[in-house]
Amino acid sequence: MMKSILPLISVIVPNYNHEKYLKERLDSIFNQTYPNFEVIVLDDCSTDNSRYILNQYSQHPKASHCVFNEINAGNTFVQWNRGIALARGEFIWIAESDDFCDYNFLEEVSKPLIENDKVVLSYCQSNRVDGKGTVTGNWLNQTSDLDRDLFLRDFVFDGNEFIEKFLIYRNVIPNAAAVIFRKNGLIKNSHLDLNPLLKYNGDWLFYLKIIANNKVAFIEKPLNNFRFHSHSVITSGFDSKPLEFKIEVNICFRECCAYFFKKMNLINFKRIAKINNQFLMEYKYKLGLFYINNNDKVKGVFLMISITDFLVVNFIKRIFK
């Protein structure tokens, strides 16, 4: 009797109320040119017609799980964790349910992972598309001011250097659906943090964690289509929150980064920590001003005192600029 061959890639599709885009998304997955994958579909108590569509696709031979939550998790990273726990593949692809991709996405983006076991995360350039699927641009503007030329070609990069040059400034991997990562790279340090304040940027922290002391690969072809529409998290979620909340989210993120970098003892720790601390102090300064201007002077003054050195240094810089 032949030993069964496990899927090399586990595709996790976390869905919530994306009935309008589900068929296009699932067709772009099940029609991949690369054959050795399984599909794990997770629905977080959708109130639209998603369940009917998902039940139809659950009959496909490559669909290994179709799970409907009884209670809404309220956090996409809870769904990520559930999918990863079910995954049998060596590589993981979180295929967001409102996006779609080229049929050769898996074949192209998995190559660096297959060819180089030091690479723990591989991702491609993404098109930016609207609710109708029309391409409106890409994400080169996320990186052009940091490096004008690098993201115009394929590359494999040292993870610590990639953090220092790019990820510490902003999330240059703006869409999870463009990413395939190595499951055994999920050491205890690179788990998905479920802190409510990280609901909107937990993927950014996750990328920082998983590539630290490893390698990251990039494919310049825009094989992924990142959809912006009125109900997407990025347009209707974080952007609609109060200023105070947005600042607190950024402070939480920077504090988590500081803790992780110190714990991992990265070779370039001092340089990365310095950049991260600059961002942290700036956000604390903004929050302090917010409190002072909104009749909570006690909180504001307390924050200002906690960053006195930062204020003094920046005041001196402005004088002698």
Side-chain angles (χ1 to χ4, degrees):
M1 185 176 180
M2 289 184 64
K3 185 178 180 181
S4 61
I5 300 174
L6 292 176
L8 182 65
I9 302 172
S10 292
V11 185
I12 299 169
V13 186
N15 175 69
Y16 179 68
N17 282 352
H18 283 154
E19 167 196 1
K20 183 177 179 180
Y21 310 112
L22 262 181
K23 289 185 177 181
E24 183 176 24
R25 162 40 99 199
L26 293 171
D27 284 342
S28 76
I29 293 171
F30 285 114
N31 288 307
Q32 286 293 303
T33 57
Y34 183 85
N36 192 14
F37 65 93
E38 67 171 344
V39 179
I40 300 166
V41 178
L42 308 170
D43 185 79
D44 201 13
C45 294
S46 292
T47 57
D48 61 6
N49 201 37
S50 291
R51 190 183 187 107
Y52 174 76
I53 296 170
L54 294 175
N55 273 326
Q56 288 183 314
Y57 281 87
S58 69
Q59 304 305 309
H60 193 283
K62 290 191 179 297
S64 59
H65 296 84
C66 186
V67 181
F68 297 98
N69 285 356
E70 294 182 3
I71 300 174
N72 181 269
N75 186 333
T76 188
F77 301 124
V78 172
Q79 296 293 81
W80 284 28
N81 279 334
R82 287 174 179 166
I84 291 168
L86 293 170
R88 296 179 295 159
E90 183 179 345
F91 307 140
I92 305 290
W93 174 29
I94 308 291
E96 302 284 7
S97 57
D98 53 342
D99 300 322
F100 62 101
C101 62
D102 287 9
Y103 290 159
N104 61 336
F105 172 86
L106 282 180
E107 186 174 353
E108 294 290 330
V109 182
S110 66
K111 278 182 182 177
L113 292 158
I114 294 171
E115 295 172 355
N116 187 342
D117 60 8
K118 300 295 183 184
V119 173
V120 295
L121 185 151
S122 177
Y123 77 107
C124 68
Q125 181 60 264
S126 293
N127 288 319
R128 177 172 175 149
V129 301
D130 61 20
K132 297 179 180 179
T134 303
V135 175
T136 59
N138 58 32
W139 290 90
L140 281 173
N141 63 339
Q142 282 283 95
T143 55
S144 58
D145 63 323
L146 299 173
D147 193 304
R148 184 180 298 178
D149 301 319
L150 180 65
F151 292 87
L152 298 176
R153 63 180 188 273
D154 296 355
F155 62 76
V156 173
F157 219 83
D158 175 78
N160 296 344
E161 189 177 352
F162 192 80
I163 291 171
E164 181 183 343
K165 290 183 176 295
F166 305 107
L167 271 183
I168 196 63
Y169 292 100
R170 68 178 69 104
N171 189 3
V172 296
I173 311 176
N175 187 210
V179 175
I180 303 176
F181 59 88
R182 195 179 296 274
K183 187 178 180 182
N184 67 9
L186 297 176
I187 56 174
K188 61 182 178 180
N189 294 312
S190 56
H191 65 283
L192 281 154
D193 197 313
L194 299 182
N195 184 323
L197 284 177
L198 294 176
K199 177 180 177 180
Y200 300 98
N201 55 14
D203 54 339
W204 184 5
L205 182 61
F206 175 72
Y207 302 144
L208 286 160
K209 288 180 174 182
I210 197 171
I211 72 171
N213 295 327
N214 291 297
K215 291 185 181 296
V216 58
F218 174 76
I219 309 296
E220 62 85 19
K221 294 178 185 175
L223 302 171
N224 175 59
N225 297 287
F226 184 7
R227 195 189 302 270
F228 273 66
H229 54 91
S230 59
H231 299 294
S232 61
V233 172
I234 198 166
T235 56
S236 63
F238 189 70
D239 288 348
S240 65
K241 297 296 182 181
L243 176 61
E244 176 187 9
F245 177 82
K246 292 179 182 179
I247 298 172
E248 287 176 347
V249 166
N250 286 316
I251 289 174
C252 178
F253 170 76
R254 291 294 169 178
E255 288 179 338
C256 287
C257 286
Y259 172 78
F260 173 73
F261 295 144
K262 186 175 182 179
K263 183 177 180 180
M264 289 297 289
N265 192 27
L266 307 182
I267 293 175
N268 53 348
F269 165 75
K270 289 184 178 180
R271 295 193 296 274
I272 293 174
K274 182 178 179 181
I275 298 168
N276 187 63
N277 191 58
Q278 182 77 11
F279 278 107
L280 178 58
M281 293 301 101
E282 287 178 0
Y283 286 127
K284 286 187 174 181
Y285 174 68
K286 289 179 180 178
L287 188 59
L289 284 182
F290 176 87
Y291 286 140
I292 291 171
N293 293 329
N294 287 273
N295 300 318
D296 199 342
K297 291 183 173 56
V298 175
K299 280 187 178 180
V301 171
F302 178 79
L303 265 173
M304 290 304 184
I305 291 173
S306 72
I307 58 172
T308 301
D309 291 344
F310 168 80
L311 294 173
V312 171
V313 169
N314 280 273
F315 177 71
I316 293 172
K317 284 182 178 178
R318 288 178 183 177
I319 291 177
F320 293 98
K321 189 174 181 180

